[in-house]
């Protein structure tokens, strides 16, 4: 994913020169508007798509780049949509909502990733308190999953050696005991991991690059874009 | 150990435990699916997230509750993002874990009182979240029907939580006495 982010990035466009945090703000507003706006009547989705086309043109994203990226999503979005056409009216409507909203959100991320360097985006995310904390926790979870899978494999091997051909009841009982024991082991293991983190220099906060304050002009442009998008979404839903 | 190192160690241990419990939240549903036991019936993801609620600070417990279903959805496709089951679970688990942490660790209320209360709160939050989601996405069933169907389907999971959770929390607190001592101090 990291390799894919920012691939084909062109640094010479107006959108590329905007601060990455401002672009994340604009993308957040756009995604919020897409979730808010109903698919029928079509004007809101069409207006949001038009805004995206303007942003893509200003970001000098070629039709070829957009096509290559969105083609990969055609199956993921297209197959459920095609299947939904076979169902009831309600299913068809749900399929339309899924397809239109997924395509718009995917296209918004395409514009973001094609106009932003990967490093800038990761730095911007690391500077955002909530995002950096959640992504750090997700990384710890994945590491923990590897550790626990190792524990499960070792427990399973020992179990097979101790009780080959055990009955179903014995297996269920063993699974229950092993699960509780795994919780205990996970807790004890986390104590050691915590100590190791401090020994390696963990100070209580996740490391992040110093980016400085974003330019006011960039934040203003992103805020205007996000506000327009949200106004479309709100008007379409409640207007 | 200086004060700053102690603070760092406390945060590191909390993060590491959050990571381990979140990892269990990813692995337990996979194990249940492999055994052919449905996730909607036994609610395997709820167990470690709720344990995190009983053992970690409210903020960290809420973070575990937010990240676990989303990461599981990205890695395994379950719970699905569309229809927005994963998003409903984020809200449900976040409220459950935060409430458990505040009631058990901050206010030091007993486990036998907190656990049933959190399970009832779960159904109330689920009804509210389903009502909001039904407005934004297309969910055919009314919120009350959705909650009643969920409760009727997942009562074994709720029973499992009532039995296994106190056992799991006590096991961990006995293996890591620091956690029980911190609760007494808070």
């Amino acid at each position: 994913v990291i390799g894919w982010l920012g691939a084909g990035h062109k640094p010479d466009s107006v959108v590329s020169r905007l601060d990455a945090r401002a672009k994340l703000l604009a993308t957040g507003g756009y995604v919020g508007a897409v979730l808010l706006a109903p698919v029928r009547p079509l004007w809101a989705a069409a207006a949001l798509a038009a805004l995206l086309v303007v942003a893509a043109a200003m970001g000098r994203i070629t039709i070829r780049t957009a096509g290559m990226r969105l083609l990969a999503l055609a199956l993921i979005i297209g197959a459920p949509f095609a299947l939904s056409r076979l169902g009831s009216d309600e299913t068809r409507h749900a399929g339309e909502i899924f397809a239109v909203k997924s395509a718009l959100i995917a296209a918004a991320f395409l514009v973001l990733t094609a106009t932003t360097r990967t490093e800038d985006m990761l730095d911007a995310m690391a500077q955002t308190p909530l995002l950096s904390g959640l992504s750090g926790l997700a990384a710890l979870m994945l590491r923990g999953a590897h550790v626990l899978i190792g524990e499960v494999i070792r427990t399973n091997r020992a179990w097979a050696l101790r009780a080959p051909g055990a009955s179903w009841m014995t297996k269920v009982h063993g699974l229950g005991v092993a699960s509780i024991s795994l919780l205990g082991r996970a807790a004890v293991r986390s104590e050691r991991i915590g100590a190791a983190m401090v020994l390696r220099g963990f100070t209580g906060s996740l490391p992040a690059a110093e980016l400085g304050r974003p330019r006011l002009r960039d934040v203003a442009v992103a805020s205007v874009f996000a506000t327009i998008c949200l106004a479309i979404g709100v008007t379409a839903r409640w207007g | 150990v200086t004060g700053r190192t102690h603070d760092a160690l406390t945060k590191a241990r909390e993060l590491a435990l959050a990571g381990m419990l979140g990892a269990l939240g990813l692995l337990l549903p996979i194990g249940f699916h492999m055994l052919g036991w449905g996730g909607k019936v036994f609610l395997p993801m709820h167990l470690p997230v709720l344990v995190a609620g009983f053992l970690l600070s409210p903020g960290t417990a809420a973070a575990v509750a937010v990240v676990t279903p989303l990461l599981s959805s990205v890695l395994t496709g379950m719970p699905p993002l569309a229809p927005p089951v994963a998003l409903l679970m984020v809200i449900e688990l976040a409220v459950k874990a935060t409430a458990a942490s505040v009631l058990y660790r901050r206010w030091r209320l007993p486990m036998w009182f907190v656990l049933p209360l959190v399970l009832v709160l779960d159904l109330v939050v689920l009804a509210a979240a389903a009502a909001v989601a039904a407005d934004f996405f297309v969910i055919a069933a009314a919120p009350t029907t959705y909650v009643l169907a969920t409760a009727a389907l997942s009562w074994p999971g709720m029973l499992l939580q009532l039995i296994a959770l106190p056992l799991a929390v006590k096991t961990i607190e006995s293996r890591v006495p620091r956690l029980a001592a911190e609760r007494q101090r808070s």
Side-chain angles (χ1 to χ4, degrees), chain B residues 44-60:
Chain B
M45 194 179 281
H46 287 232
L47 279 170
V49 172
L50 210 44
V51 170
F54 280 99
L55 296 176
L56 303 173
S57 65
T60 315

Side-chain angles (χ1 to χ4, degrees), chain A residues 36 97 141 145 183 190-191 237, chain B residues 16 23-24 135-136 138 168 178:
Chain A
L36 271 177
I97 290 175
M141 280 185 191
L183 267 173
S190 70
E191 291 287 295
R237 175 159 284 274
Chain B
L24 273 174
D135 193 36
F136 281 90
V138 178
R178 172 184 69 80

Side-chain angles (χ1 to χ4, degrees), chain A residues 5 11 21 51 63 66 77 97 112 123-124 142 167 169 175 188 208:
Chain A
L5 289 174
R21 285 164 289 183
L51 275 175
I63 294 172
I77 298 173
I97 290 175
L112 175 71
D123 280 347
L142 290 177
S167 70
M169 278 300 287
L175 184 70
V188 173

Side-chain angles (χ1 to χ4, degrees), chain A residues 36 90 97 134 137 140-142 144-145 147-148 175 180 183-187 189-191 193-195 198 202 204 237, chain B residues 9 11-13 15-17 19-20 22-24 27 35 63-64 67-68 75 135-136 138 140 168 171-172 175-176 178:
Chain A
L36 271 177
E90 211 163 60
I97 290 175
L134 293 181
L137 185 59
L140 275 171
M141 280 185 191
L142 290 177
V147 170
L148 290 180
L175 184 70
I180 296 291
L183 267 173
R185 284 186 194 195
R189 190 79 183 239
S190 70
E191 291 287 295
I193 293 171
V198 174
F202 179 73
R237 175 159 284 274
Chain B
L9 190 58
K11 280 185 183 170
R13 282 168 165 173
L15 265 177
L17 185 56
M20 280 294 184
L24 273 174
L27 296 179
L35 288 171
V64 172
V67 174
T68 307
L75 292 175
D135 193 36
F136 281 90
V138 178
T171 303
I172 292 179
R175 294 260 188 118
V176 187
R178 172 184 69 80

Side-chain angles (χ1 to χ4, degrees), chain B residues 117-138:
Chain B
L117 190 68
V118 165
L119 292 182
V120 172
L121 185 69
D122 176 21
L123 291 178
V124 174
V125 170
L126 194 60
V132 175
D135 193 36
F136 281 90
F137 300 87
V138 178

Side-chain angles (χ1 to χ4, degrees), chain A residues 21-220:
Chain A
R21 285 164 289 183
K23 278 184 271 190
L24 282 174
L25 173 71
T27 309
Y30 188 85
V31 171
V34 170
L35 290 176
L36 271 177
V39 172
R40 284 183 190 171
L42 204 61
W43 71 266
L48 288 169
L51 275 175
L52 209 55
V53 170
V54 172
M58 288 172 77
R60 300 182 63 178
I61 298 170
T62 60
I63 294 172
R64 187 170 173 275
T65 307
M68 293 270 283
R69 296 278 188 87
L70 293 178
L71 196 65
L73 293 168
L75 189 67
I76 300 169
I77 298 173
F81 174 70
L83 283 173
S84 75
R85 305 315 290 171
L86 305 171
S88 63
D89 281 351
E90 211 163 60
T91 310
R92 283 204 292 273
H93 185 45
E96 281 170 20
I97 290 175
F98 170 76
V100 171
K101 293 193 177 195
S102 302
L104 285 175
I105 291 172
F109 279 104
L110 161 77
V111 174
L112 175 71
T113 55
T115 56
T116 315
R117 284 172 64 232
T118 314
E119 295 86 344
D120 291 347
M121 198 146 37
L122 292 177
D123 280 347
M125 284 167 81
Q127 287 283 313
T128 313
L130 192 64
L131 277 180
S132 74
L134 293 181
S135 57
L137 185 59
L140 275 171
M141 280 185 191
L142 290 177
R143 182 75 189 95
H146 283 289
V147 170
L148 290 180
I149 287 169
E151 290 272 357
V152 170
I153 291 170
R154 281 194 293 277
T155 307
N156 194 37
R157 209 173 283 157
W159 200 27
L161 285 170
R162 283 174 200 163
S167 70
W168 187 81
M169 278 300 287
T170 312
K171 282 182 180 174
V172 169
H173 175 253
L175 184 70
V177 173
S179 302
I180 296 291
S181 162
L182 197 61
L183 267 173
R185 284 186 194 195
V188 173
R189 190 79 183 239
S190 70
E191 291 287 295
R192 293 208 297 270
I193 293 171
M197 282 165 72
V198 174
L199 284 174
R200 287 174 189 172
F202 179 73
T203 57
S205 58
L206 296 168
E210 286 295 330
L211 291 181
R213 294 170 79 89
R215 285 189 299 272
L216 197 63
R217 189 197 63 187
D218 292 0
V219 176

Side-chain angles (χ1 to χ4, degrees), chain B residues 27-176:
Chain B
L27 296 179
L28 269 187
I30 297 173
F32 271 71
H33 282 297
M34 279 167 68
L35 288 171
W37 298 346
K40 280 183 182 172
V41 178
F42 289 98
L43 309 174
M45 194 179 281
H46 287 232
L47 279 170
V49 172
L50 210 44
V51 170
F54 280 99
L55 296 176
L56 303 173
S57 65
T60 315
V64 172
V66 169
V67 174
T68 307
L70 292 178
L71 196 58
S72 177
S73 184
V74 171
L75 292 175
T76 68
M78 291 300 285
L81 281 167
V85 179
L87 299 178
L88 286 178
M89 275 188 78
V90 165
I91 298 165
E92 190 188 355
L93 290 176
V95 172
K96 244 173 129 170
T98 311
S101 179
V102 170
L103 296 174
Y104 185 72
R105 293 198 75 75
R106 288 273 165 90
W107 296 359
R108 282 184 277 171
L109 294 172
M111 168 83 75
W112 62 262
F113 178 76
V114 175
L115 190 52
L117 190 68
V118 165
L119 292 182
V120 172
L121 185 69
D122 176 21
L123 291 178
V124 174
V125 170
L126 194 60
V132 175
D135 193 36
F136 281 90
F137 300 87
V138 178
I139 294 176
T144 44
T145 318
Y146 179 71
V147 170
L148 286 176
T150 304
L153 188 70
S154 58
W155 68 265
M158 291 180 186
L159 193 65
L160 187 66
Q161 286 174 43
L162 282 172
I163 296 167
L165 254 162
L167 199 62
V169 172
K170 293 296 169 200
T171 303
I172 292 179
E173 282 182 342
S174 67
R175 294 260 188 118
V176 187

